[in-house]
Amino acid sequence: MDPNIPSAEAEVTQSQSPSGFKTDPSGAISPAKPPATDRPWQEWIEPASEFLGKLPDLVKKFFSDFKEPLTVVALLLGGLVTVYLTLALLDAINDIPLLAPVFELVGIGFGIWFIWRYLWSSKGRQELFQEFQSLKEQVLGSDVKE
């Protein structure tokens, strides 16, 4: 018998029709298995692309559901970063020779000027109070009752 010629027995045990179904010797019909792919990663492409297609909607829904807590967390993180950077900047300024004492002298000078200008006389205190009231009205509105 020639090995290149298929035997009738092999044809009877399993035959596949052009419609994609196979029959076994008992006569049961079952769908044919798809051919095995040489690239197993291809079976992951469809679910991944489906997930990536839904991702913008999922992110939008997440942010709309948790808008307030995310805002609070973002503000807290922003505040912490600001405090950290401010302290780092002040530390860097303090490392410059003679700059810290100059800033101290400027602060002392401004304090003396403020006391002389606004706190020393009653006229200055009244002017400071009026400026404070006008600033309070600008910030809080003019209909604020005392």
Side-chain angles (χ1 to χ4, degrees):
M1 202 173 180
D2 188 12
N4 294 334
I5 301 173
S7 67
E9 188 176 273
E11 287 181 28
V12 170
T13 57
Q14 189 174 22
S15 65
Q16 186 170 350
S17 69
S19 63
F21 292 100
K22 65 180 180 178
T23 57
D24 58 6
S26 66
I29 299 174
S30 61
K33 290 184 181 178
T37 60
D38 352 346
R39 300 177 185 156
W41 56 269
Q42 285 181 341
E43 66 187 35
W44 295 95
I45 289 177
E46 187 177 335
S49 65
E50 192 174 308
F51 173 75
L52 290 176
K54 293 179 183 178
L55 189 62
D57 294 332
L58 293 173
V59 170
K60 193 181 298 183
K61 184 179 183 312
F62 177 79
F63 279 110
S64 67
D65 290 347
F66 299 105
K67 186 175 186 178
E68 289 183 21
L70 288 173
T71 303
V72 170
V73 168
L75 288 174
L76 286 174
L77 289 176
L80 289 173
V81 168
T82 302
V83 167
Y84 178 78
L85 291 176
T86 302
L87 291 175
L89 179 67
L90 289 174
D91 189 41
I93 288 173
N94 280 335
D95 288 342
I96 300 173
L98 296 177
L99 198 56
V102 168
F103 282 149
E104 288 177 15
L105 288 176
V106 168
I108 291 171
F110 180 77
I112 292 171
W113 173 82
F114 184 83
I115 290 170
W116 182 260
R117 171 76 172 88
Y118 290 109
L119 302 178
W120 196 263
S121 66
S122 65
K123 182 181 171 189
R125 288 190 295 270
Q126 289 175 351
E127 184 181 343
L128 178 64
F129 181 73
Q130 288 172 354
E131 286 184 25
F132 179 74
Q133 288 298 328
S134 69
L135 180 63
K136 188 170 90 172
E137 286 176 4
Q138 287 177 356
V139 172
L140 300 176
S142 59
D143 60 347
V144 175
K145 296 180 182 176
E146 294 179 11

Coordinates of all heavy atoms in Angstrom, one line a residue, residues 82-138:
T82 N 3.7 72.6 47.1 CA 4.0 74.0 47.3 C 4.8 74.3 48.5 O 5.8 75.0 48.5 CB 2.7 74.8 47.3 OG1 2.0 74.6 46.1 CG2 3.0 76.3 47.4
V83 N 4.4 73.7 49.7 CA 5.1 73.9 50.9 C 6.5 73.3 50.8 O 7.5 73.9 51.2 CB 4.4 73.2 52.1 CG1 5.2 73.1 53.3 CG2 3.1 74.0 52.4
Y84 N 6.7 72.1 50.2 CA 8.0 71.5 50.0 C 8.9 72.4 49.2 O 10.1 72.6 49.5 CB 7.9 70.1 49.4 CG 9.2 69.4 49.1 CD1 9.9 68.8 50.2 CD2 9.7 69.4 47.9 CE1 11.1 68.2 50.0 CE2 10.9 68.8 47.6 CZ 11.6 68.2 48.7 OH 12.8 67.6 48.5
L85 N 8.4 72.9 48.1 CA 9.2 73.8 47.2 C 9.6 75.1 47.9 O 10.7 75.6 47.7 CB 8.5 74.0 45.9 CG 8.4 72.8 45.0 CD1 7.6 73.2 43.7 CD2 9.7 72.3 44.6
T86 N 8.6 75.6 48.7 CA 8.9 76.9 49.4 C 10.0 76.7 50.4 O 10.9 77.5 50.5 CB 7.6 77.4 50.1 OG1 6.6 77.6 49.1 CG2 7.9 78.7 50.8
L87 N 9.9 75.6 51.2 CA 11.0 75.3 52.2 C 12.3 75.1 51.5 O 13.3 75.5 52.0 CB 10.5 74.1 53.0 CG 9.4 74.4 54.0 CD1 9.0 73.1 54.7 CD2 9.7 75.5 55.0
A88 N 12.3 74.4 50.4 CA 13.6 74.1 49.6 C 14.2 75.5 49.1 O 15.4 75.7 49.2 CB 13.3 73.2 48.5
L89 N 13.3 76.4 48.7 CA 13.8 77.7 48.2 C 14.3 78.5 49.3 O 15.4 79.1 49.2 CB 12.6 78.4 47.5 CG 13.0 79.8 47.0 CD1 14.0 79.7 45.8 CD2 11.7 80.5 46.5
L90 N 13.6 78.5 50.5 CA 14.1 79.2 51.6 C 15.5 78.6 52.1 O 16.4 79.4 52.6 CB 13.1 79.2 52.8 CG 11.9 80.1 52.5 CD1 10.9 79.9 53.6 CD2 12.3 81.6 52.4
D91 N 15.6 77.3 52.1 CA 16.8 76.7 52.5 C 18.0 77.1 51.6 O 19.1 77.4 52.0 CB 16.7 75.2 52.5 CG 17.8 74.5 53.2 OD1 18.4 75.0 54.2 OD2 18.2 73.4 52.6
A92 N 17.7 77.2 50.3 CA 18.7 77.6 49.3 C 19.1 79.0 49.5 O 20.3 79.4 49.4 CB 18.2 77.4 47.9
I93 N 18.1 79.9 49.8 CA 18.4 81.3 50.1 C 19.3 81.4 51.3 O 20.2 82.2 51.4 CB 17.1 82.1 50.2 CG1 16.5 82.2 48.8 CG2 17.4 83.5 50.8 CD1 15.1 82.9 48.8
N94 N 19.0 80.6 52.4 CA 19.7 80.7 53.6 C 21.2 80.2 53.4 O 22.0 80.6 54.2 CB 19.1 79.9 54.7 CG 17.9 80.6 55.4 OD1 17.9 81.8 55.3 ND2 17.0 79.9 55.9
D95 N 21.4 79.4 52.4 CA 22.8 79.0 52.2 C 23.6 80.0 51.5 O 24.9 79.9 51.5 CB 22.8 77.7 51.3 CG 22.2 76.5 52.1 OD1 22.2 76.6 53.3 OD2 21.8 75.5 51.4
I96 N 23.0 81.1 51.0 CA 23.8 82.1 50.3 C 24.4 83.0 51.4 O 23.6 83.6 52.2 CB 23.0 82.9 49.3 CG1 22.4 82.0 48.2 CG2 23.7 84.1 48.7 CD1 21.4 82.7 47.3
P97 N 25.7 83.2 51.5 CA 26.3 84.1 52.5 C 25.7 85.5 52.5 O 25.5 86.1 51.5 CB 27.8 84.0 52.2 CG 28.0 82.9 51.3 CD 26.7 82.7 50.6
L98 N 25.5 86.0 53.7 CA 25.0 87.4 53.9 C 23.6 87.7 53.4 O 23.1 88.8 53.7 CB 26.0 88.4 53.4 CG 27.4 88.4 54.0 CD1 28.3 89.4 53.2 CD2 27.4 88.8 55.4
L99 N 23.0 86.8 52.7 CA 21.6 87.2 52.2 C 20.6 87.1 53.3 O 19.7 87.9 53.4 CB 21.3 86.2 51.0 CG 20.1 86.7 50.2 CD1 20.4 88.1 49.6 CD2 19.9 85.7 49.0
A100 N 20.7 86.1 54.2 CA 19.7 85.9 55.3 C 19.8 87.1 56.2 O 18.7 87.7 56.6 CB 19.9 84.6 56.0
P101 N 21.0 87.6 56.6 CA 21.0 88.8 57.5 C 20.4 90.0 56.8 O 19.8 90.8 57.5 CB 22.5 88.9 57.8 CG 23.1 87.6 57.6 CD 22.3 87.0 56.5
V102 N 20.6 90.1 55.5 CA 20.1 91.3 54.8 C 18.6 91.3 54.8 O 17.9 92.3 55.0 CB 20.6 91.3 53.3 CG1 19.9 92.4 52.5 CG2 22.1 91.7 53.4
F103 N 18.0 90.1 54.6 CA 16.5 90.0 54.6 C 16.0 90.2 56.0 O 14.9 90.8 56.2 CB 16.1 88.6 54.2 CG 16.1 88.4 52.7 CD1 16.4 87.1 52.1 CD2 15.9 89.4 51.8 CE1 16.4 86.9 50.8 CE2 15.9 89.3 50.5 CZ 16.1 88.0 49.9
E104 N 16.8 89.8 57.1 CA 16.3 90.1 58.4 C 16.3 91.6 58.7 O 15.4 92.2 59.3 CB 17.2 89.4 59.4 CG 17.0 87.9 59.5 CD 18.0 87.3 60.4 OE1 18.6 88.0 61.3 OE2 18.1 86.0 60.4
L105 N 17.3 92.3 58.2 CA 17.4 93.8 58.4 C 16.3 94.5 57.6 O 15.7 95.4 58.1 CB 18.8 94.3 57.9 CG 20.0 94.0 58.8 CD1 21.3 94.5 58.2 CD2 19.8 94.6 60.2
V106 N 16.0 94.0 56.4 CA 14.9 94.6 55.6 C 13.5 94.4 56.4 O 12.7 95.3 56.5 CB 14.8 93.9 54.2 CG1 13.5 94.3 53.5 CG2 16.0 94.4 53.4
G107 N 13.3 93.2 57.0 CA 12.1 92.9 57.8 C 12.0 93.8 59.0 O 10.9 94.3 59.3
I108 N 13.1 94.0 59.7 CA 13.1 94.8 60.9 C 12.8 96.3 60.5 O 12.0 97.0 61.1 CB 14.5 94.7 61.6 CG1 14.6 93.4 62.3 CG2 14.6 95.8 62.7 CD1 16.0 93.1 62.8
G109 N 13.4 96.7 59.3 CA 13.2 98.1 58.8 C 11.7 98.3 58.5 O 11.1 99.3 58.8
F110 N 11.1 97.3 57.8 CA 9.7 97.4 57.4 C 8.8 97.4 58.6 O 7.8 98.2 58.7 CB 9.3 96.3 56.5 CG 7.9 96.4 56.0 CD1 7.5 97.3 55.1 CD2 6.9 95.6 56.6 CE1 6.1 97.4 54.7 CE2 5.6 95.7 56.3 CZ 5.2 96.6 55.3
G111 N 9.1 96.6 59.6 CA 8.4 96.6 60.9 C 8.4 97.9 61.6 O 7.4 98.4 62.0
I112 N 9.6 98.6 61.6 CA 9.7 99.9 62.3 C 8.9 100.9 61.5 O 8.2 101.7 62.1 CB 11.2 100.3 62.4 CG1 11.9 99.4 63.4 CG2 11.3 101.8 62.7 CD1 13.4 99.6 63.4
W113 N 9.0 100.9 60.1 CA 8.2 101.8 59.3 C 6.7 101.6 59.5 O 5.9 102.6 59.6 CB 8.5 101.6 57.8 CG 7.6 102.4 56.9 CD1 7.8 103.7 56.6 CD2 6.5 102.0 56.3 NE1 6.8 104.1 55.8 CE2 5.9 103.1 55.6 CE3 5.8 100.7 56.2 CZ2 4.8 102.9 54.8 CZ3 4.7 100.6 55.5 CH2 4.2 101.8 54.8
F114 N 6.2 100.4 59.6 CA 4.8 100.1 59.8 C 4.3 100.6 61.1 O 3.2 101.2 61.2 CB 4.5 98.6 59.7 CG 3.1 98.2 59.7 CD1 2.3 98.3 58.6 CD2 2.5 97.8 61.0 CE1 0.9 97.9 58.7 CE2 1.2 97.5 61.0 CZ 0.4 97.5 59.9
I115 N 5.1 100.4 62.2 CA 4.7 100.9 63.5 C 4.6 102.4 63.5 O 3.7 103.0 64.0 CB 5.7 100.4 64.6 CG1 5.5 98.9 64.8 CG2 5.5 101.1 65.9 CD1 6.5 98.2 65.6
W116 N 5.6 103.1 62.9 CA 5.7 104.5 62.8 C 4.5 105.1 62.0 O 3.9 106.1 62.3 CB 7.0 105.0 62.2 CG 7.2 106.5 62.1 CD1 7.0 107.2 61.1 CD2 7.5 107.3 63.2 NE1 7.2 108.5 61.4 CE2 7.5 108.6 62.7 CE3 7.8 107.1 64.6 CZ2 7.8 109.7 63.5 CZ3 8.1 108.2 65.3 CH2 8.1 109.5 64.8
R117 N 4.2 104.4 60.8 CA 3.2 105.0 59.9 C 1.8 104.7 60.4 O 1.0 105.6 60.3 CB 3.4 104.3 58.5 CG 2.3 104.5 57.5 CD 2.5 105.9 56.9 NE 1.6 106.1 55.8 CZ 0.3 106.6 55.9 NH1 -0.2 106.8 57.1 NH2 -0.4 106.7 54.8
Y118 N 1.5 103.5 60.9 CA 0.1 103.2 61.2 C -0.2 103.1 62.7 O -1.4 103.2 63.1 CB -0.3 101.9 60.5 CG -0.4 102.0 59.0 CD1 0.6 101.4 58.2 CD2 -1.4 102.7 58.4 CE1 0.5 101.5 56.8 CE2 -1.5 102.8 57.0 CZ -0.5 102.2 56.2 OH -0.6 102.4 54.9
L119 N 0.7 102.7 63.5 CA 0.3 102.4 64.9 C 0.8 103.5 65.9 O 0.2 103.5 67.0 CB 1.0 101.1 65.3 CG 0.5 99.9 64.5 CD1 1.2 98.6 65.0 CD2 -1.0 99.7 64.5
W120 N 1.6 104.4 65.6 CA 2.2 105.3 66.5 C 1.1 106.4 66.9 O 1.0 106.8 68.1 CB 3.4 106.0 65.9 CG 4.3 106.7 66.9 CD1 4.2 108.1 67.2 CD2 5.2 106.2 67.8 NE1 5.1 108.4 68.2 CE2 5.7 107.2 68.6 CE3 5.7 104.9 68.0 CZ2 6.7 107.0 69.5 CZ3 6.6 104.7 69.0 CH2 7.1 105.7 69.7
S121 N 0.4 106.9 65.9 CA -0.6 108.0 66.2 C -2.0 107.4 66.0 O -2.2 106.5 65.3 CB -0.3 109.2 65.3 OG -0.6 108.8 64.0
S122 N -3.0 108.1 66.6 CA -4.4 107.7 66.5 C -4.9 108.0 65.0 O -5.7 107.2 64.5 CB -5.3 108.5 67.5 OG -5.3 109.9 67.2
K123 N -4.4 109.0 64.4 CA -4.7 109.2 63.0 C -4.3 108.1 62.1 O -5.0 107.6 61.2 CB -4.1 110.5 62.5 CG -4.5 110.9 61.1 CD -3.8 112.2 60.7 CE -4.0 112.5 59.2 NZ -3.2 113.6 58.7
G124 N -3.1 107.5 62.3 CA -2.6 106.4 61.5 C -3.4 105.1 61.8 O -3.7 104.4 60.9
R125 N -3.8 104.9 63.1 CA -4.6 103.8 63.4 C -6.0 103.8 62.7 O -6.5 102.8 62.2 CB -4.8 103.6 64.9 CG -3.5 103.2 65.6 CD -3.7 102.9 67.1 NE -4.1 104.0 67.9 CZ -3.3 104.9 68.5 NH1 -2.0 104.6 68.4 NH2 -3.7 105.9 69.2
Q126 N -6.6 105.0 62.7 CA -7.9 105.2 62.0 C -7.7 104.9 60.5 O -8.6 104.3 59.9 CB -8.4 106.6 62.2 CG -8.9 106.8 63.7 CD -9.4 108.3 63.9 OE1 -9.1 109.1 63.0 NE2 -9.9 108.5 65.1
E127 N -6.7 105.4 59.9 CA -6.4 105.2 58.5 C -6.2 103.7 58.2 O -6.8 103.1 57.3 CB -5.2 105.9 58.0 CG -4.9 105.8 56.6 CD -3.6 106.6 56.2 OE1 -3.2 107.5 57.0 OE2 -3.1 106.3 55.1
L128 N -5.5 103.0 59.1 CA -5.3 101.5 58.9 C -6.6 100.8 59.1 O -6.9 99.9 58.3 CB -4.3 101.0 60.0 CG -4.0 99.5 60.0 CD1 -3.4 99.1 58.7 CD2 -3.2 99.1 61.2
F129 N -7.5 101.2 60.0 CA -8.8 100.6 60.2 C -9.7 100.8 59.0 O -10.4 99.9 58.5 CB -9.5 101.1 61.5 CG -10.8 100.5 61.8 CD1 -10.9 99.2 62.2 CD2 -12.0 101.2 61.5 CE1 -12.1 98.7 62.5 CE2 -13.2 100.7 61.8 CZ -13.3 99.4 62.3
Q130 N -9.7 102.0 58.4 CA -10.4 102.3 57.2 C -10.0 101.4 56.0 O -10.7 100.9 55.2 CB -10.4 103.8 56.9 CG -11.2 104.6 57.8 CD -11.0 106.1 57.6 OE1 -10.1 106.5 56.8 NE2 -11.7 106.9 58.3
E131 N -8.7 101.3 55.9 CA -8.1 100.5 54.8 C -8.5 99.0 55.0 O -8.8 98.3 54.0 CB -6.6 100.6 54.7 CG -6.1 102.0 54.1 CD -4.6 102.0 54.0 OE1 -4.0 101.0 53.9 OE2 -4.1 103.1 54.0
F132 N -8.5 98.6 56.2 CA -8.8 97.2 56.5 C -10.3 97.0 56.2 O -10.7 95.9 55.6 CB -8.6 96.9 58.0 CG -8.9 95.5 58.4 CD1 -8.2 94.4 57.9 CD2 -10.1 95.2 59.1 CE1 -8.6 93.1 58.3 CE2 -10.5 93.9 59.5 CZ -9.7 92.9 59.1
Q133 N -11.2 97.9 56.5 CA -12.6 97.8 56.3 C -12.9 97.8 54.7 O -13.7 97.0 54.3 CB -13.4 99.0 56.9 CG -13.5 98.8 58.4 CD -14.2 97.6 58.9 OE1 -15.1 97.1 58.2 NE2 -13.8 97.1 60.0
S134 N -12.2 98.7 54.0 CA -12.4 98.7 52.5 C -11.9 97.4 51.9 O -12.6 96.9 51.0 CB -11.7 99.9 51.9 OG -10.3 99.7 52.0
L135 N -10.8 96.8 52.4 CA -10.3 95.6 51.9 C -11.3 94.4 52.2 O -11.6 93.6 51.4 CB -9.0 95.2 52.5 CG -8.3 93.9 52.0 CD1 -8.1 93.9 50.5 CD2 -7.1 93.6 52.8
K136 N -11.9 94.5 53.4 CA -12.9 93.5 53.8 C -14.1 93.6 52.9 O -14.7 92.5 52.5 CB -13.2 93.6 55.3 CG -14.1 92.5 55.8 CD -14.2 92.6 57.4 CE -15.4 93.5 57.7 NZ -15.7 93.5 59.1
E137 N -14.6 94.8 52.6 CA -15.7 94.9 51.7 C -15.4 94.4 50.3 O -16.3 93.9 49.7 CB -16.2 96.4 51.7 CG -16.9 96.9 53.0 CD -17.2 98.3 52.9 OE1 -17.0 99.0 51.9 OE2 -17.7 98.8 53.9
Q138 N -14.2 94.6 49.8 CA -13.9 94.2 48.5 C -13.9 92.6 48.4 O -14.3 92.1 47.4 CB -12.5 94.7 48.1 CG -12.5 96.2 47.7 CD -11.0 96.6 47.4 OE1 -10.1 95.8 47.6 NE2 -10.9 97.9 47.1

